[in-house]
Amino acid sequence: MAMAGEPSAPGGIAPDMPEHFQEQDASFDHVRRDVMIPMRDGTKLHTVIIVPRGAHGAPILLTRTPYNADHMVSFAASGNMGPIMQGYDNMPDVIADGGYIRVIQDVRGKYGSEGRYVMNRPMRGELNGTSVDHATDTWDTIEWLVHNLPESNGKVGIIGVSYDGYTALTALFHPHPALKVSVPMNPMVDGWMGDDWFHNGAFREEMLPYIYEQDGTPKNTATWWASQYDSYDLFLRAGSAGAAGRVRGMDQIGFFRQILAHPAYDTWWQLQAMDRLLPREGLTVPTLLVHSLWDQEDNYGAVALYYALKKDPAAASRLWLAVGPWNHGGEIHEASTMGPVKLRADTGLYFRKTILEPFLAHYLKDGSIPLPARVTAFRSGDNVWESADALPPRACAADCVTLHLQPGEGLGTQAPAAGAGVARYVSDPAHPVPYVARPVVAKDRPDANWRNWLATDQRNMAARPDVLSFTSPVLTAPFVVRGQPHMHLTAATTGTDGDFVVKLIDVYPDEVADQPEMGGYQLMISADILRGRYRESFAQPHPIAANVPLAYDMVLPLANHTFLPGHRIMIQIQSSWFPLYDRNPQTYVDNIFLAPKEAYRPATVSVDIAQSWMEVHGTPMKVP
C-alpha cells in the first residue's frame, strides 16, 4: 500500500529513486558543467568544465585526453576543487589555487566523446585525408569556450602529461588566437625513435597491454589478460611480440596492424614525428617543454623537440625547458625521492611553484610577472637546480670528456693501446637479460615497480655473464655530466642481427652512512638500446655481417648528474632488455614481429675495447 503523498505504482510499490535527482552543490567552491562541444565535422566531444564559484576574468587551462575526463575531476567525493583534482594530469596547487577555469575534454572516440578513436591521430595530410585532427579539434574547442564562458578573460592555456602532452603539441599547429601558452609535459613526440612504441628500432613489448586496452574499446572495457604473474614468463613463452598480440585478438586493432606493417622508420612514422613536423609549422605560441630524467615511457620527446625548435631563432624566442629528477609525470606529485634516491627536497613542488606557476601566470594573467629561465634543470648527485640560456649542444665541444673502455673491465679517460683485446659474452634469446630483477611484475599491478624502474639497482644485471661492466677507479673530485652521452661501440657478433644496450651508471661507495641500503648501489644515469639492423639506416634495415667488427653509434637520453667523490663511473653493455623490449632473434629475418621460434639463436658478441668509448659533456675526471 502506497503511503500518503506517494504516487501509485504497479504492484502497489512506489519507486524510491526520483526520475531526475538534483544534486545540492550550492556549497561547493566550484560549478561543474558537462557539455558536448561540436566540432567542424559535426562530431561532439564530451567536455568537463570546472569554474571556480564567483570567478570573473579567469583564464582557462585546457587538457585534451584519452584517459576519461570525468575520472580526472572525480578523485574525491568533495565539494572543493583541490581534492577532486588530486590525481593524474591535475595540479591543484597550481590550477585550483591559481583560480583557473579547468577544462578537460575526451578526445574523439574515447569515453564520452563521439567519433572513432585513432591512436596518436596523425595531422591532416598524407596519413589523414579527413578535415579534422587534434589541431582542428583544439581550435574548435577553444572557439566554443571563449564564447560560452562569461567568467573567463578569453585567454587559454593547454597543458598535459604524456598523451595529453602530445595533444598540447598538436594545439600548436595553426593555433587559435586565444591560445596564449602551451605546456607539453613528458610528451609523446616520436614513437619510433625513442618514446612509447620503439627505441632505435627495438619494440617496447611492455606497451602491448596499453595498446590492447586503450585502442580496443572506447571506454577501456577490454582488459589485457595474463596467466602468469611474471611478465618475463608471459612474453618469453609467447615467442615474438606479434605472436603475443595475435593470440589476444589484437589483429582487430588498427594501430597494432600498423606497427606490424611498419617495423622500420619509414615515412609512416616520419610523417607523425612532432620533432619533424612542428619546426616546419613554426612555433608561434610560448611553450614550456617539461622533461623527466628518469622517464620510463617518453624520455626522448621533449629533448628532441627542444633541439629541433632551437635551430630557428623565432621558435627559440618562444621556447622554454624544465628538466627534473622525475619518472613519467612525476613533476605533478610530491617528488622528494626518485626510487630509493633521496633528493633532499620536494622537487615537484619546486617545479610547480618556481617554474610552472609564474610561466602560466605571465601569459594568462599578468605580463609583468617574471618568467623562469630559458632552461631550468635539476642536477642529481649534487641535488641542485641550475638555470641556463640553453642545453649543451648535442655534439661534444670544448668540454668533451671521453670515457674509454679499458682491459680488465676498467674505465678511464686515457685511450688504451691499440689491440687492447676484446670483451666477450654470449647473448642467448632463451635467457634474455631482464630490465628489472625478476619477477617482472606487470606494470598495472599495485606491486609493480614500473614507475621507478629506471632508478632500480643494476647489480643483478652486472652479476650476469652476458652483461659487461666497465668501471672507473674511485673518484677523488666531482665529475659532472651534462647533455646527451654519445656511445661509440665497436663490436662483432656471430649472429646476423642483434641488439646493443648501453648504460651509464653511478656506482655508490661500498658504505653510505646515512642510508646503508645504498651501499654499492648501481644507479642508471642514462641508458638506451639500438637494434643492430638499423646501424646504417633507421629506414632501411640490413643484416649484420657475422664475425666482423662494426661500429654502433648511440646517442643516449639527456643526463644532468654529478658523480660525487667516493663514487665510481660504470658503463654496462648487453644485448637484451626483456621484456621491456622484444627479443632480437639474432638471426636476420624480414620482420622480427613475425619471427619463427627457430630464428632465435645464441650469439657470441665481442666488444673491441680500443675502439669503444663514450663522449660526454663533463668536467675532467680525477682519480687516485
Side-chain angles (χ1 to χ4, degrees):
M1 176 178 179
M3 296 180 63
E6 290 184 342
S8 60
I13 300 176
D16 289 330
M17 186 180 295
E19 187 173 350
H20 299 290
F21 182 77
Q22 297 295 320
E23 294 187 2
Q24 302 301 305
D25 58 0
S27 65
F28 289 11
D29 71 354
H30 63 277
V31 176
R32 172 172 172 159
R33 300 169 190 161
D34 284 74
V35 297
M36 298 294 290
I37 298 180
M39 302 292 106
R40 63 191 62 186
D41 64 345
T43 301
K44 295 179 180 179
L45 303 187
H46 173 239
T47 309
V48 181
I49 303 169
I50 306 294
V51 182
R53 192 173 296 277
H56 176 72
I60 300 167
L61 270 184
L62 168 66
T63 293
R64 304 190 62 254
T65 184
Y67 299 134
N68 192 350
D70 182 70
H71 174 71
M72 289 167 62
V73 292
S74 304
F75 288 105
S78 173
N80 295 318
M81 283 185 66
I84 67 172
M85 295 193 301
Q86 193 67 48
Y88 177 75
D89 234 356
N90 285 306
M91 291 158 283
D93 54 357
V94 174
I95 300 171
D97 295 352
Y100 291 93
I101 297 172
R102 184 66 168 134
V103 179
I104 304 182
Q105 181 180 75
D106 293 321
V107 298
R108 58 175 60 220
K110 290 302 292 185
Y111 291 93
S113 288
E114 298 173 351
R116 299 294 295 272
Y117 178 71
V118 177
M119 183 77 78
N120 296 110
R121 180 182 293 271
M123 308 303 290
R124 288 170 296 163
E126 188 172 335
L127 300 181
N128 178 358
T130 73
S131 63
V132 297
D133 55 19
H134 283 303
T136 65
D137 285 350
T138 306
W139 202 101
D140 295 346
T141 298
I142 294 175
E143 178 72 3
W144 188 95
L145 291 172
V146 297
H147 287 95
N148 290 275
L149 291 181
E151 301 91 344
S152 84
N153 64 1
K155 296 181 179 180
V156 181
I158 189 166
I159 191 169
V161 173
S162 192
Y163 198 116
D164 304 352
Y166 168 75
T167 57
L169 289 175
T170 59
L172 299 170
F173 290 76
H174 307 292
H176 193 284
L179 183 66
K180 303 302 181 183
V181 66
S182 176
V183 184
M185 304 165 71
N186 311 101
M188 305 167 75
V189 169
D190 189 326
W192 195 94
M193 287 300 300
D195 284 328
D196 284 278
W197 318 124
F198 294 79
H199 273 222
N200 298 315
F203 178 64
R204 290 168 64 84
E205 196 164 27
E206 280 274 47
M207 295 305 294
L208 281 177
Y210 173 88
I211 297 169
Y212 182 94
E213 296 181 2
Q214 185 66 23
D215 214 4
T217 61
K219 297 185 178 181
N220 290 38
T221 51
T223 303
W224 173 270
W225 54 267
S227 301
Q228 299 84 12
Y229 177 72
D230 190 343
S231 291
Y232 187 101
D233 289 332
L234 184 156
F235 288 110
L236 188 64
R237 294 173 189 175
S240 68
R246 283 177 163 175
V247 76
R248 289 164 175 78
M250 290 183 70
D251 279 336
Q252 303 168 74
I253 298 173
F255 185 64
F256 179 76
R257 295 196 302 269
Q258 293 282 23
I259 283 178
L260 265 60
H262 300 280
Y265 195 55
D266 58 17
T267 56
W268 192 82
W269 290 107
Q270 295 175 29
L271 289 171
Q272 299 180 65
M274 287 290 122
D275 54 333
R276 289 170 173 256
L277 298 179
L278 191 54
R280 298 173 194 166
E281 170 74 13
L283 186 64
T284 59
V285 175
T287 297
L288 169 63
L289 295 169
V290 183
H291 175 72
S292 297
L293 291 166
W294 281 274
D295 189 328
Q296 77 280 10
E297 296 180 20
D298 295 307
N299 68 356
Y300 174 87
V303 174
L305 185 58
Y306 171 85
Y307 280 118
L309 290 171
K310 279 287 288 183
K311 296 175 182 178
D312 174 29
S317 70
R318 301 180 179 93
L319 184 64
W320 282 259
L321 176 68
V323 177
W326 312 305
N327 55 22
H328 188 66
E331 62 272 21
I332 71 175
H333 305 293
E334 193 278 337
S336 58
T337 61
M338 181 62 247
V341 179
K342 295 179 179 179
L343 304 173
R344 310 301 178 186
D346 185 349
T347 61
L349 180 65
Y350 181 93
F351 159 75
R352 296 191 302 274
K353 291 299 183 181
T354 308
I355 304 169
L356 178 61
E357 193 171 277
F359 184 78
L360 293 174
H362 177 91
Y363 288 106
L364 298 176
K365 294 181 182 180
D366 181 356
S368 68
I369 295 174
L371 286 163
R374 288 290 174 171
V375 175
T376 309
F378 187 87
R379 178 150 49 87
S380 51
D382 278 340
N383 296 333
V384 296
W385 286 96
E386 302 175 307
S387 59
D389 293 331
L391 283 180
R394 274 187 157 167
C396 273
D399 63 347
C400 185
V401 174
T402 303
L403 303 175
H404 292 273
L405 306 189
Q406 304 282 356
E409 297 191 331
L411 185 70
T413 56
Q414 297 298 316
V422 299
R424 293 188 177 89
Y425 61 92
V426 176
S427 172
D428 185 355
H431 303 283
V433 181
Y435 73 96
V436 291
R438 294 184 64 184
V440 180
V441 182
K443 61 182 181 179
D444 61 341
R445 292 181 181 267
D447 54 341
N449 56 5
W450 169 253
R451 290 186 61 81
N452 294 324
W453 83 263
L454 278 173
T456 55
D457 196 342
Q458 297 302 295
R459 278 179 291 190
N460 283 313
M461 291 64 190
R464 289 180 56 117
D466 50 358
V467 176
L468 299 178
S469 298
F470 298 88
T471 312
S472 76
V474 174
L475 300 177
T476 58
F479 179 68
V480 178
V481 173
R482 294 184 173 92
Q484 294 189 259
H486 188 173
M487 184 70 194
H488 301 266
L489 176 69
T490 300
T493 175
T494 58
T496 51
D497 200 357
D499 292 344
F500 293 94
V501 177
V502 174
K503 310 171 191 174
L504 176 63
I505 294 172
D506 184 343
V507 181
Y508 279 56
D510 292 339
E511 289 188 299
V512 177
D514 65 341
Q515 199 176 359
E517 67 276 12
M518 294 297 290
Y521 199 91
Q522 295 182 7
L523 174 67
M524 276 194 296
I525 303 305
S526 182
D528 217 339
I529 187 171
L530 170 67
R531 184 139 285 176
R533 61 176 52 206
Y534 300 115
R535 57 172 292 274
E536 298 176 11
S537 166
F538 288 130
Q540 297 292 331
H542 299 285
I544 294 174
N547 300 308
V548 177
L550 298 171
Y552 299 88
D553 285 351
M554 299 172 60
V555 178
L556 302 186
L558 186 74
N560 198 45
H561 183 76
T562 298
F563 294 81
L564 296 172
H567 291 229
R568 293 177 293 161
I569 304 169
M570 175 184 285
I571 292 176
Q572 281 186 2
I573 300 170
Q574 59 199 58
S575 287
S576 52
W577 223 4
F578 185 75
L580 176 64
Y581 297 96
D582 64 334
R583 296 176 302 151
N584 192 314
Q586 303 181 150
T587 302
Y588 189 87
V589 295
D590 288 338
N591 191 332
I592 290 178
F593 285 115
L594 309 176
K597 291 184 178 180
E598 59 270 19
Y600 292 86
R601 300 175 184 172
T604 299
V605 177
S606 302
V607 173
D608 188 322
I609 292 173
Q611 298 299 316
S612 299
W613 61 85
M614 179 182 290
E615 292 178 338
V616 298
H617 293 278
T619 56
M621 189 170 74
K622 296 182 180 180
V623 298

